[in-house]
Amino acid sequence: MAALGEISLSNLNGGQKLAVKYYAMAGVLFAAQILFGLLAGLQYLMPDFLFGQLDFSINRMVHINALVVWLLCGFIGSVYWMLEEEAQRPVVGLKLGNLVFWAFAAAVTIVVIVYLLVQTGRGEVATIWLITEGREYIEAPRWADIAIVASVLVFFYNVAGTFAKGRYTGIAGVLVLDLIALFGLYLAGMFFTPNVSIDQFWWWWVIHLWVEATWEVLVGCILAYALIKTLGARREIVETWLYVEVALMFGSGILGLGHHYFWIGTPDYWLSIGGFFSALEPIPLVAMVVHAVYDSGTHKMQNNNHPAFAWIIAAAFGNFLGAGVWGFMHTLPQINLFTHGTQWTASHGHLAFFGAFATVNIAFFYLAMQKLRGEVWMGAGLPDRGWKWKWSFALLNIGMLGMTVALLVAGYVQSQIERAIGGSSWSAYFDAQAHPWFQQGMWWREVFGVVILIGVVLLAWDLLTVGRRETRVIQTLEPA
Amino acid sequence: MDQTAWWASGSFWRKTAIWVTGASLVALIFLSIDSLVKISAGSQRVPAYTVVNQRVDYVLNEERHVQQPKIGAEQPLFGRKLDAEQAEALVRHGKLTVQAKNCMDCHTLLGNGAYYAPDLTKAWLDPAWGSAAEREKAMVEFLLDPTDNARNTLGRRMPNLHLTEDEAKSVTGFLKWMAAIDTNGFPYNFTPMKQEN
Ligand code: HEM
Ligand code: HEM
Ligand SMILES: [Fe+2]
């Protein structure tokens, strides 16, 4: 046993040791995401910057691919983190799991190097297999898709196998079924068709049914565990809430897919179906806020990890605001006709991904650091009043909100000038882009991007130092 | 709180979750099958690839209150009429090029993608290409050397992606075919280029 306050892997169980590796990879990719986001944002302001060397498309591709992969790494990490405690037995295939981690890390590295150095290819099938598939978010070449599927199968075997041999909780039941759907959906993005309508039809199965159905339920499971850990919430209550959320989320989100089928060639019945069901999607997100507030209230906010708990609350509200409110704003076809594919979409995309998912991962990073240092105190009265976590928390959230509003203003200008008045022609597009309000929006996005960057640096510093030389052990929670 | 009401019990909500999810999935599968048929190439909404041989327009449908594509008289691309197989090969090559060059991380197609450059859904009909007679030549020229053909005042240029002439022509075919997809009136209020009579 290492001394209290020292980082030591011996403080962790097997699954958690593996989780920490995934968290480390997630952290590196998060940093890369921010860096390439800033480059892409800068090119809006200085179009000649890196022109012809590292074009906007490449920076953007790395930005959003790093996003998807770091979030998935974080999720996989968090599932491994809770696995042995939930199942009350060791992970069934830990060695294999470790092996797969390294293979996965190698594959991601190669993909990124090819993105940056080779960038594009000839218009032939080989390019799709070796360089890029050129489809937003799932640009990874086909060979990498197959590697990902293989890794994921091993991960799934570990999760399902460990639960099957150990304790099969309510959380476990939801988690296992959700993972099947999540990974199954990935296959819908793995083929080529010349028909762009059919292409986008299946592409949205992956993107929408990931973020608005399976990922939401996945973070629901992870957060359920986190509430039990940090608040000492009662399992029956947390699991009942989880079922409520699954019912509402899948009940609205599965057919809510239709809000992406308004304008891609698909029949017009999607206007009503997509509009109606996606308009219901905020309801489960409201339920999550109610749940988090209710649980915190019954425990009088008594929790044993203040930074993690703050990020959990940020997740509940961020999810509601970014996905629920910002999503609802443009989900009715009458509005979406004008906002579709504008900065309005980018505004929503940023706040939703950050609010719903990035927050959850950050909360788990803090849980991990707490245990890595031997279950140290992380409640009230942290050294220096915990200024680092508080400032990084504030900078990240303010930066994100500021960026979202900046993009919303730009999106509003764009939907008016380009979409409504100008009819989305080439010249109308640039009329909107040149408008001073649009340009100001792009500047403010970059300014708030720098705020986010500072927040990330501070976050990294805090994660590496929080609980160092702490002499108090973790607070015991009183049952409510 | 020993006796939980039925509506607050875990087992009730577990069953509800299963039923709601199952019902939604079944509905989605039926709708998807129907939709996939209705957007297969050669359907009413998504035309056959041979539409590249014809004139494509975008006109207001009074009944639907939206603009929709109108397929007109013969107007072969690059002066050569293609049979079904050749037309499909052309669009296929164009689409492969679009993916290989990652156009969608700058542009939107059908409104999806990136927001750094104009939407390409109706690029074929954009008035900026000049006249219908000049259009296909102008498009190929632009795609082969967009940097020297730059035209907006912001200084935001499209990089030279080193397309071959074949690729540029195929992309042009792909864009023409895409402009003929019925998108329920997106983009709204688009004024297509004037084509003779
Ligand atoms: C955590 C949950 C969510 C995330 C991470 C998310 C993220 C995104 C992203 C990244 C896009 C842009 C996709 C692209 O690149 O084309 C998008 C589009 C969209 N989202 Fe969400 N979203 C979430 C939830 C919601 C909800 C709950 C609603 C509705 C109530 C919604 C409504 C929409 C709509 C209508 C679009 C299409 C925008 C367009 O037409 O351009 N989203 N979402
Ligand atoms: C320094 C901070 C950041 C900057 C400067 C930045 C910049 C950008 C830029 C320029 C784009 C391309 C938008 C376009 O096509 O016009 C983009 C896309 C995107 N970024 Fe960021 N970003 C930052 C942070 C983040 C964070 C923290 C997240 C999520 C957690 C995120 C998620 C996304 C998503 C989902 C898209 C695709 C949006 C869409 O297609 O609608 N970004 N970002
Ligand atoms: Fe969606």
Side-chain angles (χ1 to χ4, degrees):
Chain A
M1 226 31 202
L4 197 65
E6 298 290 330
I7 291 184
S8 169
L9 281 174
S10 63
N11 291 319
L12 306 181
N13 66 39
Q16 293 176 336
K17 285 179 191 152
L18 180 51
V20 170
K21 292 188 186 132
Y22 275 103
Y23 288 155
M25 183 164 157
V28 171
L29 289 168
F30 184 24
Q33 186 211 350
I34 299 302
L35 204 71
F36 282 89
L38 283 168
L39 290 181
L42 202 54
Q43 286 173 322
Y44 263 94
L45 307 169
M46 302 161 57
D48 290 334
F49 179 64
L50 294 177
F51 180 77
Q53 283 135 18
L54 210 54
D55 283 312
F56 178 85
S57 46
I58 306 301
N59 292 323
R60 187 188 201 271
M61 173 168 65
V62 178
H63 176 60
I64 58 177
N65 281 223
L67 165 72
V68 172
V69 180
W70 91 259
L71 291 180
L72 280 173
C73 280
F75 296 159
I76 292 176
S78 298
V79 172
Y80 272 127
W81 184 267
M82 62 192 250
L83 191 52
E84 297 198 3
E85 282 179 16
E86 267 303 282
Q88 298 184 334
R89 63 150 289 143
V91 176
V92 286
L94 196 58
K95 274 222 181 82
L96 197 59
N98 266 298
L99 208 70
V100 159
F101 169 80
W102 291 111
F104 184 66
V108 170
T109 312
I110 295 171
V111 168
V112 173
I113 289 174
V114 171
Y115 279 175
L116 291 176
L117 299 182
V118 185
Q119 301 189 349
T120 62
R122 288 262 75 86
E124 59 197 21
V125 174
T127 303
I128 287 180
W129 276 89
L130 302 175
I131 304 171
T132 177
E133 270 191 74
R135 295 169 79 208
E136 207 191 352
Y137 303 108
I138 46 176
E139 285 98 339
R142 192 67 50 80
W143 74 263
D145 288 345
I146 291 169
I148 290 168
V149 170
S151 321
V152 146
L153 282 175
V154 170
F155 168 66
F156 182 76
Y157 160 75
N158 270 339
V159 177
T162 308
F163 280 130
K165 289 199 180 151
R167 181 174 66 146
Y168 212 88
T169 60
I171 296 178
V174 175
L175 187 62
V176 167
L177 290 178
D178 188 59
L179 287 177
I180 294 177
L182 200 163
F183 297 137
L185 282 169
Y186 193 69
L187 301 175
M190 281 176 59
F191 66 96
F192 172 83
T193 161
N195 185 334
V196 68
S197 291
I198 288 185
D199 178 320
Q200 297 204 352
F201 185 90
W202 290 114
W203 181 81
W204 278 117
W205 269 59
V206 186
I207 308 306
H208 170 102
L209 291 180
W210 263 6
V211 297
E212 283 163 69
T214 50
W215 286 28
E216 282 279 11
V217 168
L218 180 59
V219 293
C221 295
I222 296 173
L223 284 177
Y225 164 86
L227 285 175
I228 294 175
K229 284 306 278 186
T230 58
L231 278 173
R234 272 185 36 216
R235 179 175 287 277
E236 304 88 278
I237 294 180
V238 169
E239 289 190 341
T240 303
W241 270 110
L242 184 61
Y243 296 135
V244 173
E245 279 154 19
V246 172
L248 295 172
M249 190 68 73
F250 281 159
S252 59
I254 291 177
L255 288 172
L257 172 61
H259 65 178
H260 304 295
Y261 293 165
F262 298 157
W263 327 116
I264 64 165
T266 28
D268 48 16
Y269 51 70
W270 286 111
L271 297 173
S272 344
I273 296 173
F276 179 76
F277 283 95
S278 68
L280 301 179
E281 283 183 49
I283 297 174
L285 308 177
V286 176
M288 275 169 116
V289 172
V290 174
H291 174 191
V293 170
Y294 166 86
D295 268 359
S296 320
T298 52
H299 295 267
K300 303 196 182 60
M301 303 288 281
Q302 287 284 331
N303 67 85
N304 57 20
N305 187 322
H306 279 203
F309 187 69
W311 280 105
I312 290 171
I313 297 300
F317 282 95
N319 200 343
F320 168 66
L321 208 62
V325 177
W326 251 254
F328 183 81
M329 286 199 299
H330 63 163
T331 204
L332 297 176
Q334 294 84 348
I335 295 167
N336 192 260
L337 178 57
F338 303 98
T339 60
H340 181 46
T342 63
Q343 296 295 332
W344 196 304
T345 311
S347 174
H348 155 66
H350 276 87
L351 195 60
F353 260 113
F354 178 80
F357 303 132
T359 48
V360 177
N361 279 345
I362 297 173
F364 267 77
F365 295 167
Y366 275 106
L367 290 180
M369 289 322 294
Q370 182 176 34
K371 192 147 190 230
L372 259 178
R373 290 193 185 271
E375 296 277 37
V376 290
W377 176 274
M378 278 219 213
L382 284 175
D384 304 323
R385 293 222 188 106
W387 72 272
K388 274 180 286 189
W389 84 258
K390 286 177 187 163
W391 272 95
S392 71
F393 181 85
L395 288 171
L396 281 168
N397 283 293
I398 292 170
M400 218 54 225
L401 277 171
M403 176 181 292
T404 301
V405 172
L407 292 173
L408 187 69
V409 171
Y412 196 73
V413 175
Q414 191 181 358
S415 56
Q416 288 293 311
I417 296 179
E418 177 196 328
R419 293 279 194 252
I421 301 169
S424 307
S425 66
W426 186 347
S427 66
Y429 173 85
F430 280 104
D431 288 346
Q433 302 285 310
H435 194 284
W437 293 353
F438 186 96
Q439 287 291 319
Q440 284 158 15
M442 292 296 109
W443 275 103
W444 281 109
R445 180 255 302 276
E446 199 68 4
V447 169
F448 282 110
V450 173
V451 173
I452 291 171
L453 177 69
I454 299 170
V456 170
V457 171
L458 208 54
L459 174 69
W461 183 21
D462 189 43
L463 281 170
L464 294 175
T465 54
V466 66
R468 186 163 60 180
R469 289 195 278 278
E470 176 64 67
T471 51
R472 297 164 293 175
V473 293
I474 189 169
Q475 187 172 350
T476 41
L477 297 165
E478 292 155 36
Chain B
M1 277 255 297
D2 297 314
Q3 215 55 45
T4 320
W6 62 268
W7 52 266
S9 73
S11 68
F12 168 73
W13 282 103
R14 189 172 57 232
K15 282 183 209 128
T16 307
I18 292 169
W19 279 102
V20 167
T21 306
S24 303
L25 263 179
V26 170
L28 178 64
I29 287 168
F30 275 107
L31 288 166
S32 292
I33 292 170
D34 182 69
S35 291
L36 285 167
V37 172
K38 289 184 174 146
I39 59 173
S40 58
S43 64
Q44 188 144 35
R45 306 187 59 92
V46 179
Y49 300 114
T50 45
V51 80
V52 296
N53 293 321
Q54 277 160 295
R55 172 171 158 175
V56 176
D57 235 319
Y58 193 48
V59 295
L60 186 71
N61 178 323
E62 305 275 357
E63 242 168 79
R64 289 172 72 194
H65 291 282
V66 299
Q67 287 162 282
Q68 66 184 39
K70 187 174 149 211
I71 315 302
E74 205 162 273
Q75 189 193 79
L77 199 56
F78 307 113
R80 199 164 78 90
K81 196 175 164 197
L82 304 181
D83 64 26
E85 210 172 302
Q86 292 166 322
E88 172 160 2
L90 181 84
V91 174
R92 184 186 161 80
H93 187 220
K95 172 80 163 17
L96 273 171
T97 306
V98 164
Q99 288 185 224
K101 301 293 180 187
N102 220 340
C103 313
M104 279 180 93
D105 268 316
C106 283
H107 290 278
T108 45
L109 306 185
L110 306 178
N112 292 317
Y115 320 122
Y116 190 71
D119 180 59
L120 296 181
T121 309
K122 301 292 171 194
W124 171 255
L125 300 171
D126 202 292
W129 298 116
S131 72
E134 302 284 315
R135 169 173 48 193
E136 48 199 55
K137 205 170 133 263
M139 282 180 96
V140 171
E141 228 164 70
F142 178 84
L143 289 171
L144 286 177
D145 191 2
T147 309
D148 289 331
N149 288 302
R151 40 176 109 188
N152 70 79
T153 52
L154 278 180
R156 199 187 298 167
R157 292 168 295 166
M158 171 161 154
N160 189 332
L161 295 165
H162 307 289
L163 269 65
T164 63
E165 188 164 340
D166 246 13
E167 286 171 340
K169 285 184 165 171
S170 301
V171 166
T172 306
F174 170 77
L175 291 174
K176 181 173 183 182
W177 167 77
M178 182 166 62
I181 295 175
D182 185 339
T183 50
N184 288 336
F186 176 87
Y188 168 82
N189 200 22
F190 182 89
T191 313
M193 83 166 25
K194 287 213 167 46
Q195 307 185 66
E196 289 78 50
N197 51 68

